Amino acid sequence: MTDAEFVHAYEIAGSDFTNAGRASTSIKETLKEMGLASALVRRVAIAAYEAEMNTVMYARRGTMTLHVTPADVTIDVRDEGPGIPDIPLAMQEGYSTATPEMRELGFGAGMGLPNIKRNADDLTITSDVGRGTILVMTVHVS
Amino acid sequence: MSGAAQADGAGTAAGRGGQAAITLADVRAAIGAEVIWCPDPAVPVAGVVTADLMSDVLVDARPGFVLITGLATVQAIRTAAIADLAAVVFARGKVVPSEVVDLAREMRVPAFASRRSLFEAAGLLYASLGIRAAEAPGRTA
């Protein structure tokens, strides 16, 4: 990697399950091409994928921005959606507000946010109920 | 999601200490699966995860695992690609839609189809290949 920073933003459409996961897949390919370690790339990809699926399931739309520096990989996800009224509750493993339709598509295990936290070194979530959620996760390169 | 008692749960298995590496060809033969797309049957298999909920896969699977699932959607393929899995086996005789087959090829994720349930497929791999249960790496409870 060079010292230059890399920034790229991906648009995410709510309820578009056909394309859900494309942004995270693209992020994974980008990080692999940068030569980052496969274990680190996998952690970022899993965290990004969970965040992308949350956006597709719950929000009207969202933007996921990849920011890479020599020290960190940061994913910033901002959505326009219902927000999260109780973030500590949402962070509990198994807690889910998913609909039966979401579960039929393979999601809604109540592991999304806990899985993001597990794979990120740093995670901050801020939410404005009725407006949307901002999720920023960072994985340290070294 | 319906059928066998294990259908909604996620289970993992790994390892065959001291023996030759298990391959996709071994897995296919053990459960009698049909090939959907598999350019290299000699790809080694590190273990097995069975689940219909993809977040459970992302918690429990390690790189090189085979996912056995009843979820015949594009998300099974995307999840396998994100998590560096060796292959996906679509179980329970589910009809695999053409867009799922196309995505498997596009993302280079080997894919198989089996009429067996998750329970049967996991049991056969446990019994015939000696794949044994491993502690899930990510679970905290």
Side-chain angles (χ1 to χ4, degrees):
Chain A
M1 274 186 60
T2 69
D3 289 342
E5 295 186 7
F6 176 89
V7 180
H8 191 84
Y10 304 82
E11 295 299 317
I12 303 169
S15 302
D16 182 2
F17 284 92
T18 301
N19 290 302
R22 278 189 187 274
S24 305
T25 301
S26 179
I27 285 172
K28 184 179 184 187
E29 291 303 314
T30 298
L31 297 179
K32 281 168 68 177
E33 288 169 7
M34 288 179 175
L36 294 172
S38 60
L40 182 146
V41 172
R42 186 173 187 268
R43 286 172 58 204
V44 173
I46 289 174
Y49 185 48
E50 291 280 18
E52 184 177 358
M53 293 310 304
N54 276 349
T55 302
V56 171
M57 284 194 293
Y58 294 104
R60 292 184 296 280
R61 60 173 299 280
T63 303
M64 182 156 66
T65 305
L66 168 67
H67 189 178
V68 186
T69 71
D72 299 302
V73 178
T74 300
I75 307 275
D76 179 309
V77 186
R78 293 162 191 261
D79 73 40
E80 297 172 10
I84 304 173
D86 188 336
I87 292 173
L89 182 61
M91 292 299 299
Q92 290 183 12
E93 292 188 3
Y95 177 79
S96 175
T97 57
T99 65
E101 290 76 16
M102 292 175 187
R103 291 200 174 91
E104 285 176 8
L105 291 164
F107 289 88
M111 295 301 294
L113 290 177
N115 213 6
I116 293 170
K117 185 178 182 183
R118 180 179 288 115
N119 284 285
D121 290 314
D122 301 306
L123 170 65
T124 60
I125 303 173
T126 53
S127 190
D128 190 352
V129 173
R131 297 178 66 91
T133 299
I134 299 172
L135 186 153
V136 181
M137 55 185 133
T138 301
V139 175
H140 304 314
V141 172
S142 54
Chain B
M1 291 173 288
S2 63
Q6 285 79 2
D8 292 339
T12 56
R16 185 166 71 167
Q19 298 182 42
I22 298 167
T23 66
L24 292 180
D26 296 327
V27 169
R28 179 194 169 222
I31 61 176
E34 296 176 15
V35 176
I36 294 175
W37 186 77
C38 181
D40 183 6
V43 167
V45 172
V48 174
V49 57
T50 60
D52 286 348
L53 290 174
M54 296 298 102
S55 282
D56 285 337
V57 177
L58 295 171
V59 172
D60 292 334
R62 303 172 191 175
F65 272 34
V66 168
L67 166 62
I68 305 175
T69 184
L71 184 77
T73 73
V74 293
Q75 296 309 329
I77 299 296
R78 291 200 188 282
T79 300
I82 288 286
D84 296 330
L85 303 190
V88 176
V89 177
F90 296 104
R92 300 199 202 109
K94 291 283 183 71
V95 173
V96 182
S98 60
E99 65 264 28
V100 178
V101 176
D102 292 344
L103 188 65
R105 284 197 178 94
E106 178 189 330
M107 302 193 78
R108 303 195 61 76
V109 174
F112 302 86
S114 172
R115 298 194 62 79
R116 299 189 185 280
S117 68
L118 301 191
F119 175 77
E120 288 177 302
L124 285 165
L125 293 174
Y126 187 99
S128 64
L129 296 183
I131 297 175
R132 292 292 179 261
E135 185 176 339
R139 296 282 180 189
T140 56

